[in-house]
């Protein structure tokens, strides 16, 4: 009983340390619970939604031969299928998916959130997100395709859980993208690009498997669940499947990654808090060895004393874990909102899950007890007489050092000795500041990485790229650029050969120094490659490349390298590419500022650069926000760690500091001698971190360049390096400021 | 005879640097149950060391120590702790109080359980600690701390009580009062008491006086009668 009181008093003595440990436990368990709980709720909701709305398992593009196979297979009761129609129109920067609504839809049933579905002509439903952004209420009129409709309801299309309209606009923008249901009759009247496909529902005969593997060629790999079975039935599937699968299955990917993140954070923070506890206990035991000695002399058994030391982790874990759990539970609805944010999934109601409370208490307890247990054990088994005697402070090696350094002035000598004595803490501070520095550099580089990418890639002065279904020869206007694009393979990967005219408006090729190198293509066998290809295959100017363009393998001479970094492109004069495939004047793309091409029948798609750009920009902003959030978290971690360590340093050297004060040293001088010894180590770790991180980023990006089709330019100006350094020092000095307050309040030691 | 503690050829060596130093040499003693033994000797003669060894806080390097039939020199740390809890109380020269606890709580620690409130009050009354019961240890004077240490040790009513300079920081009046109390509990509870002191006057209250010098027993004599602590010469 009294022993417990003794330990509780001890906790009161080291309030700050306890608070920091509890804070870390609180954060780790809070984050863990909130993310997992949110994901549980969402996952549950997601699968129920898929089931209730009978969302398709797979979809295939329309063709009359497929129709026959499908009919045969469905009559054999393999699956159910339904024809799906949709039209897409673009008006004033808005994208609309128009879907016909029928009562008896079996697969991909629409989900009504409010109001009702369209029953008469001139009626429609739309996405509530779009309506909110534009201030549209039920009963309002909204016009598309020059016709006014009455908004009678808000509804989701259940196969658009992630509203991906094109692969070119990968990120959902609420105010721009809208999904509209109208009556079938109205649907027929609306003009737009129509897509016809079959939605197939296995009716749970086959497990759902959205997880799609994409190989290096950008094709879906077979052998995954339903896909495999489907292909065995002799039905080819097209790549529109990828788009559709993303719409339905993307959320699943987030479940896995976020769960991983939550566990990672939990264990990282737990590891840190047990490190803290380790330090705190180690220090506490040094102070308390006498106490333990006294207790043993009084006849208290070791195990009894040991148990009393578990009060500390139990208390920390109890407070931190329970608060963390409830905080997490409280936070999870907000997280759900954020997660659902870019998905069209009805918001679920939240719940508790006491399993997480158990996890929140169990893991932290295991972590903390572990560090506490070993340290206490280490001290408690020493002999009583040894514990009762004051610790011999200066070890023998140190006394030699004392002698060696005696030629230096006192304060310097003191600092050296002090540094050597607290090597463990210095190591810890160095490691942590190294990690933080790595992180700072990563953020400093990353914060405008994508901006550079965007600027370099979309610097073009044209607005649209028009893609044709086949190679055309008819020229429309001399103001546009005509381009012949052919795919070929190189080292097993697909690369695109772009045939361009040397005299052009929008397709000038520029090198690193912004010099126009387009004219170099005049030479018969010359090609220009872009930076990504250069990096991917380690090529350089002057190399010869063997390629097969149009059936015949030939060697081409690399005469230049452009600065663009997205996609694997090889440029060649269009005339020569045409010759390779025995054509004259052929093209299949037009780069233009003209919007009138959209009406042509022969085009397959138009990319609006401006839209793509804003679409990316939005995501980049979100990424930046995320980075800053992470940065703040990490800095507060760093701050608390430093505060914790300096607090322990001050505590451990309480006697020394008091003695120095008695001898008339000013607080500032003491701070300089005791706490500022870490500055050189901080500097060293920071400047060590710069090359390390740049190396890591380069390696990572190289890897990315091989996996994905873009590459980055890494820049780190000296201004940024200074900013990073400043950040670290601001944290360090604010910690010093706080610590100084602690020891200037210290009363001079009384009595013994 | 009814022996309580019996030692044969006890020796204790310390390592100072690389040199071995004998703090105790060939100590052979017999203490009877219920005796008051006073150990006298100049500073550094090994009194505290002997006490530590006898009370099992430290281990001997030579010889054996028997408590009744138990050879405690072969005890493990754990056995010794258990044994101490049952039989022994120690008043330390350096008090060894728990700084986190207040006066009352420190005294309670001696017993291990919260029982017999009246006993504690009685002891605190006697040691004039009553109005200091909520004081922190740091707020006490040296003499007051010593009194807390004494209170803690005698609250337990041990079989053997070791006192290392129990009156070192006390004035004559208080010192004599405590000695009187020790004699009283010795008579009432038949507690064996071993007192280490500089003060030759205190020797007069004991049944046996042991004089130490440079780690050996210089002389050992038994007194015929105990003197009343109130009339012994002080200092
Ligand atoms: N842990 C130790 N290591 C080395 N030598 C020790 C140790 N403890 C005691 N000694 C030595 O043993 C000798 C006896 O010490 P002890 O403390 O028993 O003396 P004492 O008679 O109690 O003296 P005092 O009256 O001053 O308390 C001293 O010379 C001391 O230096
Ligand atoms: Mg002594």
């Amino acid at each position: 009983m009294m022993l417990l009181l003794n330990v509780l008093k001890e906790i009161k003595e080291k309030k700050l340390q306890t608070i920091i440990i509890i804070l870390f436990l609180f954060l780790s368990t809070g984050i863990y619970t909130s993310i997992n709980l949110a994901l549980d709720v969402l996952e549950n909701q997601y699968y129920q939604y898929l089931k209730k709305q009978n969302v398709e398992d797979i979809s295939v593009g329309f063709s009359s031969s497929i129709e026959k196979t499908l009919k045969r297979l469905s009559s054999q009761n393999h699956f159910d299928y339904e024809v799906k129609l949709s039209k897409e129109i673009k008006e004033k920067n808005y994208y609309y998916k128009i879907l016909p609504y029928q009562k008896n839809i079996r697969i991909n049933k629409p989900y009504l959130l409010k109001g009702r579905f369209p029953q008469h002509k001139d009626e429609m439903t739309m996405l509530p997100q779009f309506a909110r952004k534009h201030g549209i209420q039920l009963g309002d009129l909204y016009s598309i395709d020059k016709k006014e409709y009455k908004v009678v309801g808000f509804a989701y299309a259940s196969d658009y859980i992630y509203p991906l309209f094109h692969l070119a606009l990968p990120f959902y923008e609420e105010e721009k993208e809208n999904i509209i249901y109208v009556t079938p009759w109205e649907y027929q009247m609306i003009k737009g690009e129509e897509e016809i496909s079959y939605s197939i529902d296995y009716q749970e005969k086959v497990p759902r498997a959205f997880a799609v593997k994409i190989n290096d060629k950008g094709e879906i790999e077979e052998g995954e669940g339903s896909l495999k079975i489907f292909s065995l039935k002799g039905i080819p599937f097209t790549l529109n499947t990828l788009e559709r699968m993303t719409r339905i299955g993307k959320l699943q990917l987030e479940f896995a990654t976020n769960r991983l993140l939550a566990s990672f954070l939990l264990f990282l923070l737990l590891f840190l808090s047990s490190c803290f506890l380790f330090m705190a206990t180690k220090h506490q035991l040094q102070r308390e060895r006498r106490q333990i000695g006294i207790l043993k002399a009084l006849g208290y058994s070791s195990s009894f004393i040991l148990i009393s030391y578990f009060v500390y982790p139990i208390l920390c874990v109890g407070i931190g874990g329970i608060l963390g759990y409830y905080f997490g539970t409280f936070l999870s609805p907000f997280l759900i909102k954020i997660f659902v944010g870019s998905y069209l999934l009805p918001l679920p109601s939240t719940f508790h899950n006491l399993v997480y409370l158990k996890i929140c208490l169990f893991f932290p307890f295991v972590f903390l007890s572990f560090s506490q247990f070993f340290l206490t054990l280490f001290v408690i088994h020493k002999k009583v007489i040894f514990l009762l005697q004051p610790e011999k402070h200066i070890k023998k090696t140190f006394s030699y050092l004392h002698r060696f350094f005696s030629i230096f002035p006192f304060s310097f000598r003191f600092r050296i000795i002090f540094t050597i004595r607290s090597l463990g803490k210095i190591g810890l501070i160095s490691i942590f500041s190294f990690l933080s520095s790595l992180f700072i550099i990563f953020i400093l580089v990353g914060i405008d990485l994508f901006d550079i990418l965007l600027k370099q890639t979309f610097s073009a002065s044209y607005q649209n790229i028009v893609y044709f279904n086949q190679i055309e020869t008819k020229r429309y206007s001399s103001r546009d650029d005509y381009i012949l694009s052919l795919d070929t393979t190189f080292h097993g990967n697909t690369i695109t050969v772009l045939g361009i005219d040397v005299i052009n408006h929008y397709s000038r090729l520029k090198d690193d120094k912004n010099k126009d190198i387009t004219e170099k293509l005049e030479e018969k066998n010359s090609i220009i490659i872009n930076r990504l290809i250069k990096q991917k295959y380690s090529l350089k100017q002057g190399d010869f490349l063997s390629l097969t363009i149009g059936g015949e393998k030939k060697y081409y001479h690399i005469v230049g390298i452009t600065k663009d970094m997205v996609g694997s492109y090889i440029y060649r004069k269009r005339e020569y590419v045409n010759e390779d495939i025995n054509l004259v004047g052929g093209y299949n793309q037009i780069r233009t500022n003209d919007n009138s091409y959209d009406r042509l029948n022969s085009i397959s798609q138009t990319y609006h650069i401006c839209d793509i750009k804003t679409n990316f920009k939005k995501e980049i902003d979100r990424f930046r926000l995320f980075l800053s959030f992470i940065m703040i978290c990490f800095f507060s971690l760093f701050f608390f760690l430093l505060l914790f360590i300096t607090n322990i340093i001050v505590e451990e050297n309480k006697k020394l500091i008091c003695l120095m004060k008695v001898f008339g040293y000013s607080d500032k001088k003491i701070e300089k001698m005791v706490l500022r010894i870490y500055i050189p180590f901080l500097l060293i770790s920071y400047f060590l971190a710069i090359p390390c991180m740049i190396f890591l980023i380069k390696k990572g990006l190289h890897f990315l360049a091989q996996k994905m089709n873009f590459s980055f330019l890494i820049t780190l100006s000296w201004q940024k390096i200074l900013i990073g350094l400043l950040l670290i020092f601001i944290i360090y000095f604010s910690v010093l400021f706080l610590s100084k307050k602690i020891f200037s309040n210290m009363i001079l030691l009384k009595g013994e | 005879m009814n022996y309580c503690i019996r030692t044969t050829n006890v020796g204790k060596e310390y390592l100072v640097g690389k040199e071995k130093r004998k703090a105790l040499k060939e100590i052979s003693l017999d203490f009877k149950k219920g005796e008051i033994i006073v150990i006298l000797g100049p500073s550094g003669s090994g009194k505290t060391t002997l006490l530590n060894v006898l009370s099992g806080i430290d281990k001997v390097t030579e010889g054996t120590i028997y408590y009744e039939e138990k050879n405690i020199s072969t005890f493990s740390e754990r056995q010794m702790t258990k044994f101490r809890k049952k039989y022994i109380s120690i008043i330390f020269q350096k008090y060894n109080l728990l700084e986190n606890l207040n006066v009352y709580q420190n005294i309670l620690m001696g017993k291990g359980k919260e029982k017999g409130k009246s006993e504690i009050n009685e002891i605190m009354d006697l040691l004039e600690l009553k109005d200091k019961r909520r004081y922190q240890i740091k707020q006490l004077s040296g003499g007051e701390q010593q009194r807390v240490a004494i209170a803690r040790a005698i609250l337990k009513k041990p079989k053997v009580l070791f006192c290392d300079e129990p009156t070192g920081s006390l004035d004559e009046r208080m010192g004599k009062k405590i000695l009187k109390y020790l004699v009283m509990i010795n008579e009432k509870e038949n507690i064996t008491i071993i007192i280490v002191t500089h003060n030759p006057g205190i020797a007069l209250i004991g049944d046996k006086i042991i004089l130490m010098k440079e780690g050996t027993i210089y002389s050992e004599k038994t007194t015929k009668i105990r003197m009343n602590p109130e009339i012994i010469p002080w200092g």
Side-chain angles (χ1 to χ4, degrees), chain B residues 43-44 46-49 93 164-165 196 198:
Chain B
S43 186
K47 301 183 299 288
T48 302
T49 310
Q93 190 172 12
D164 197 351
E165 301 283 2
V196 164
H198 278 123

Side-chain angles (χ1 to χ4, degrees), chain A residues 470-486:
Chain A
Q470 274 145 3
I471 297 176
E472 307 269 324
T473 47
K474 183 187 173 201
R475 281 180 80 89
Y476 294 92
S477 155
S478 60
R479 275 171 298 138
D480 304 329
D481 282 0
Y482 293 86
I483 285 157
L484 178 57
S485 152
L486 293 175

Side-chain angles (χ1 to χ4, degrees), chain A residues 270-336:
Chain A
L270 278 186
F271 176 70
L272 281 178
S273 23
S274 50
C275 279
F276 282 1
L277 189 75
F278 189 83
M279 281 189 282
T281 315
K282 190 165 158 255
H283 155 62
Q284 178 197 357
L285 285 174
Q286 261 161 18
R287 253 183 52 187
E288 285 214 347
R289 34 184 282 132
R290 220 172 77 106
Q291 286 219 22
I292 291 177
I294 296 168
L295 290 172
K296 285 183 83 173
L298 289 177
Y300 288 92
S301 71
S302 301
S303 46
F304 197 64
I305 299 171
L306 197 65
I307 286 170
S308 78
Y309 275 88
F310 274 96
V311 173
Y312 192 63
I314 289 172
L315 199 90
C316 289
V317 168
I319 297 176
I322 290 172
L323 281 181
Y325 170 75
Y326 282 104
F327 178 67
T329 310
F330 167 77
L331 209 69
S332 68
F334 298 99
L335 265 186
I336 290 174

Side-chain angles (χ1 to χ4, degrees), chain A residues 376-393:
Chain A
T376 317
L377 208 66
F378 180 67
V379 169
I380 221 156
H381 274 304
K382 296 218 164 119
K383 287 201 189 115
V384 183
I385 189 79
F386 178 76
L387 295 173
L388 284 177
Q389 277 160 0
E391 209 184 2
K392 293 167 199 108
H393 255 306

Side-chain angles (χ1 to χ4, degrees), chain A residues 510-516 531 541 561 563:
Chain A
K510 306 249 171 94
D511 67 2
D512 272 346
K513 297 173 193 85
N514 227 17
K515 211 180 117 213
D516 196 319
R531 190 207 299 279
Q541 193 166 337
I561 290 150
K563 62 180 178 180

Side-chain angles (χ1 to χ4, degrees), chain A residues 73-131:
Chain A
L73 289 172
S74 75
S75 67
Q76 288 166 11
N77 215 9
H78 283 291
F79 50 71
D80 187 18
Y81 81 98
E82 212 172 43
V83 183
K84 291 287 167 193
L85 304 173
S86 72
K87 279 179 183 164
E88 188 184 309
I89 40 180
K90 191 196 176 223
E91 257 179 29
K92 303 178 283 184
N93 275 326
Y94 299 143
Y95 285 92
Y96 302 109
K97 273 274 180 214
I98 316 289
L99 305 167
Y101 172 77
Q102 275 159 317
K103 256 202 200 106
N104 53 0
I105 296 177
R106 292 193 312 278
I107 302 176
N108 301 341
K109 286 182 205 158
Y111 182 88
L112 188 72
L113 291 135
K114 208 176 165 192
R116 59 173 174 80
F117 282 114
Q119 289 162 355
H120 314 286
K121 60 185 186 110
D122 307 339
E123 287 182 350
M124 69 152 145
T125 67
M126 61 163 69
L127 293 180
Q129 281 87 344
F130 187 87

